[in-house]
C-alpha cells in the first residue's frame, strides 16, 4: 500500500536571528539588524516531516510583517490539514495564493513530498541544469572605501559578483561611488547596483545617463515598485540592464512588466513570490519572453535559501553572474545547516539528499522564538 502523504499536523514558530553585522539599505528601508522569519513544520500521516519558512519583508517591501504572517498562517493552516502533499505539488496548489505565509506552506509541502518519496526538491521541479550556483556578495549603502573593504574580504572568500546597495545618498555621490568601486574592482569580477526603490525619476535618469557606458551587470529597482510608466521610460534611456524586485510580488505583475517591455532582469525570491510553484511560474514567463532571472533573497534563513537553490539549479535563463545565496553567511546563526553548502563563492546542492536536504534544528528554533509555538 502506498504511504499516506496527507498532512496530519502543522506547527509554526515566529523567530528573530541576529545579523553578524548591521545591514544598511536605502532610505526606504533603513538599517536591519535581525532576520525575522516564521518557521513552519508539517508532519504527514506516514511520519515524514517537511519544513517551510516565511520571510516577511515589512510593509514597504512585500506588505508582510511577522505578526501579519502569523495571522495569515492561523487562517490558512487548518485548511492544509488532510491535504495530500503529492496532489499539492502535482496540481501546483501553491499557485492559489501569494505572500510569505503561502510561501512557507508551499515550500513545506515540497520538502515533505521529497523526503517521503526519496527525491530532492529540484527533481520535483524539473531538470537539474547545474550542481551549484555562484553567489554574489552585497555591500551596505555607504562610501566606496567601505564598499571596497567589504568587497576585498568577499573576494578572498571566493565571491566574484558584488551588489552595491544605494538609494539614500545624493545621486551625484552614488555616481562617483560607482565609478570609484569599478576602478578598484579586482580583475575577473562583476558589479551590480540595487536602489531599493530609493530614487525619483529624475535621480534614476541622472544615474543611468552618467553610468550608461559602465560595465554594470544590472541596476535593480531604481524607482518605486508601482511606477511602471517611469520604469518603461527609464529603460528606453539606457543600455544598462534594468532589474525589478519589489515591483514583482505576483505573476500578474511580471506579465504586466513583460507586456510593457519595462525590464530586462526579474528578481525571484521564494518568500516574496509566494513559494516554489509561483516562483517557477514566474521563471517560465520570464524565460519565454527572452528575459533573464536573478535568484535573489531577503535577509532569510537556510530553509528558504535551500528552496531557492533547488529552483535556481533548474532554471536555464539565469543572469551570468553571482546570485543571492549568501544570506545565512551574513547571519550570526541559523536554524538550518545551509551555510555548509556555501563555499568557494558558490552554493552547492547536496548529493542525493531527499527534500530540501537541509538539517533543521528544533533547539535553534526554540532558542530564537519570539512568541510561542502554534500548533494545528
Ligand atoms: Mg533588491
Amino acid at each position: 500500500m502506498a504511504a499516506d502523504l496527507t498532512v496530519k499536523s502543522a506547527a509554526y514558530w515566529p523567530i528573530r536571528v541576529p545579523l553578524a553585522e548591521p545591514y544598511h539599505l536605502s532610505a526606504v528601508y533603513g538599517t536591519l539588524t535581525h532576520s525575522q522569519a516564521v518557521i513552519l513544520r508539517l508532519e504527514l500521516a506516514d511520519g515524514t516531516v517537511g519544513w517551510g519558512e516565511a520571510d516577511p519583508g515589512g510593509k514597504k517591501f512585500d506588505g508582510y510583517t511577522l505578526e501579519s504572517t502569523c495571522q495569515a498562517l492561523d487562517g490558512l493552516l487548518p485548511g492544509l490539514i488532510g491535504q495530500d502533499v503529492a496532489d499539492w505539488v502535482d496540481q501546483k496548489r501553491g499557485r492559489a495564493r501569494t505572500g510569505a505565509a503561502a510561501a512557507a506552506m508551499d515550500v513545506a509541502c515540497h520538502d515533505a513530498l521529497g523526503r517521503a518519496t526519496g527525491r530532492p526538491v529540484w527533481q520535483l521541479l524539473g531538470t537539474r541544469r547545474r550542481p551549484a550556483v555562484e553567489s554574489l556578495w552585497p555591500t551596505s549603502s555607504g562610501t566606496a572605501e567601505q564598499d571596497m573593504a567589504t568587497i576585498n574580504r568577499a573576494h578572498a572568500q571566493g565571491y566574484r559578483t558584488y551588489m552595491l546597495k544605494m538609494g539614500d545618498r545624493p545621486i551625484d555621490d552614488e555616481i562617483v561611488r560607482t565609478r570609484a568601486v569599478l576602478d578598484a574592482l579586482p580583475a575577473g569580477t562583476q558589479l551590480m547596483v540595487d536602489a531599493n526603490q530609493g530614487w525619483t525619476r529624475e535621480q534614476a535618469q541622472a544615474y543611468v545617463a552618467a553610468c550608461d557606458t559602465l560595465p554594470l551587470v544590472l541596476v535593480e529597482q531604481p524607482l518605486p515598485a508601482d511606477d511602471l510608466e517611469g520604469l518603461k521610460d527609464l529603460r528606453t534611456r539606457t543600455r544598462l540592464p534594468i532589474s525589478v524586485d519589489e515591483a514583482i510580488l505576483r505573476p500578474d505583475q511580471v506579465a504586466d512588466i513583460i507586456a510593457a517591455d519595462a525590464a530586462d532582469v526579474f528578481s525571484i525570491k521564494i518568500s516574496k513570490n509566494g513559494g516554489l510553484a509561483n516562483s517557477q511560474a514566474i521563471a517560465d514567463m520570464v524565460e519565454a519572453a527572452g528575459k533573464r532571472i536573478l535568484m535573489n533573497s531577503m535577509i532569510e534563513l537556510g530553509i528558504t535559501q535551500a528552496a531557492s537553490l533547488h529552483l535556481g539549479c533548474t532554471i536555464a535563463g539565469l543572469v551570468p553572474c553571482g546570485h543571492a545565496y549568501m544570506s545565512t553567511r551574513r547571519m550570526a546563526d541559523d536554524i538550518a545547516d545551509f551555510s555548509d553548502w556555501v563555499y568557494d563563492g558558490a552554493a552547492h546542492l547536496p548529493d542525493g539528499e531527499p527534500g530540501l536536504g537541509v538539517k533543521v534544528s528544533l533547539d535553534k528554533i526554540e532558542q530564537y522564538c519570539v512568541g510561542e509555538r502554534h500548533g494545528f
Side-chain angles (χ1 to χ4, degrees):
M1 201 179 80
D4 185 346
L5 301 182
T6 56
V7 178
K8 186 179 74 181
S9 66
Y12 75 77
W13 297 256
I15 67 170
R16 264 166 70 84
V17 180
L19 281 159
E21 288 177 19
Y23 189 30
H24 189 46
L25 294 164
S26 73
V28 177
Y29 302 118
T31 300
L32 304 179
T33 58
H34 286 73
S35 168
Q36 297 198 110
V38 182
I39 305 301
L40 174 64
R41 179 187 188 274
L42 302 182
E43 188 171 341
L44 306 185
D46 75 347
T48 304
V49 167
W51 294 95
E53 174 188 326
D55 308 287
K59 288 207 165 66
K60 292 174 188 159
F61 194 97
D62 60 3
Y64 289 89
T65 62
L66 203 59
E67 295 72 26
S68 70
T69 302
C70 292
Q71 283 166 9
L73 284 169
D74 288 340
L76 293 172
L77 286 175
L80 189 61
I81 307 298
Q83 290 209 41
D84 185 304
V85 292
D87 292 345
W88 178 283
V89 170
D90 291 347
Q91 294 167 18
K92 302 191 188 302
R93 285 188 193 151
R95 293 215 50 200
R97 287 193 175 74
T98 56
M105 288 167 54
D106 192 48
V107 168
C109 286
H110 280 80
D111 186 35
L113 177 62
R115 290 185 200 259
T117 58
R119 290 176 291 171
V121 164
W122 65 258
Q123 203 177 328
L124 305 176
L125 299 171
T127 305
R128 194 186 74 165
R129 296 173 187 276
R130 55 188 79 78
V133 181
E134 233 188 272
S135 180
L136 61 81
W137 194 268
T139 73
S140 278
S141 187
T143 65
E145 291 70 32
Q146 291 168 329
D147 292 329
M148 287 315 303
T150 303
I151 287 171
N152 287 330
R153 265 202 316 272
H155 186 260
Q157 291 164 18
Y159 297 92
R160 296 292 178 261
T161 300
Y162 315 107
M163 175 191 270
L164 302 187
K165 289 291 179 181
M166 299 196 163
D168 77 335
R169 294 148 53 88
I171 202 71
D172 290 342
D173 290 1
E174 300 289 38
I175 293 165
V176 170
R177 176 186 169 202
T178 303
R179 290 211 178 98
V181 171
L182 279 169
D183 283 345
L185 216 54
T189 63
Q190 292 180 286
L191 192 70
M192 61 177 72
V193 306
D194 183 0
N196 276 119
Q197 313 190 70
W199 292 335
T200 62
R201 287 185 184 184
E202 292 69 29
Q203 289 171 323
Q205 288 165 12
Y207 186 86
V208 300
C211 297
D212 194 54
T213 58
L214 300 180
L216 292 174
V217 179
L218 55 85
V219 178
E220 185 156 279
Q221 203 62 54
L223 297 172
D226 59 1
D227 189 6
L228 181 55
E229 281 308 311
L231 196 69
K232 195 173 158 183
D233 171 68
L234 186 68
R235 189 161 174 276
T236 65
R237 294 169 181 264
T238 182
R239 49 165 285 286
L240 291 171
I242 300 294
S243 170
V244 280
D245 180 2
E246 288 92 325
I248 54 157
L249 304 180
R250 305 183 310 270
D252 63 290
Q253 294 169 315
V254 175
D256 289 347
I257 291 174
I258 288 173
D261 199 17
D264 305 279
V265 177
F266 293 73
S267 261
I268 290 180
K269 298 176 175 176
I270 302 297
S271 184
K272 171 194 81 169
N273 290 126
L276 284 162
N278 279 314
S279 295
Q280 188 174 38
I282 289 171
D284 289 347
M285 291 164 66
V286 171
E287 286 186 296
K291 311 280 191 181
R292 294 295 184 117
I293 291 147
L294 181 69
M295 292 306 293
N296 209 331
S297 77
M298 307 294 289
I299 308 288
E300 63 198 32
L301 300 169
I303 297 169
T304 300
Q305 282 271 278
S308 177
L309 182 61
H310 279 270
L311 180 61
C313 285
T314 70
I315 293 176
L318 297 184
V319 190
C321 66
H323 296 251
Y325 292 114
M326 69 296 144
S327 184
T328 63
R329 286 267 175 193
R330 303 172 66 228
M331 308 300 305
D333 200 357
D334 190 10
I335 47 83
D337 64 347
F338 182 82
S339 286
D340 294 348
W341 303 5
V342 184
Y343 50 87
D344 300 337
H348 306 255
L349 277 178
D351 233 5
E353 293 288 325
L356 292 173
V358 274
K359 291 180 186 66
V360 178
S361 165
L362 198 50
D363 288 346
K364 295 278 188 190
I365 291 170
E366 281 167 354
Q367 178 185 343
Y368 293 111
C369 187
V370 288
E372 50 188 43
R373 172 188 180 279
H374 294 243
F376 297 85

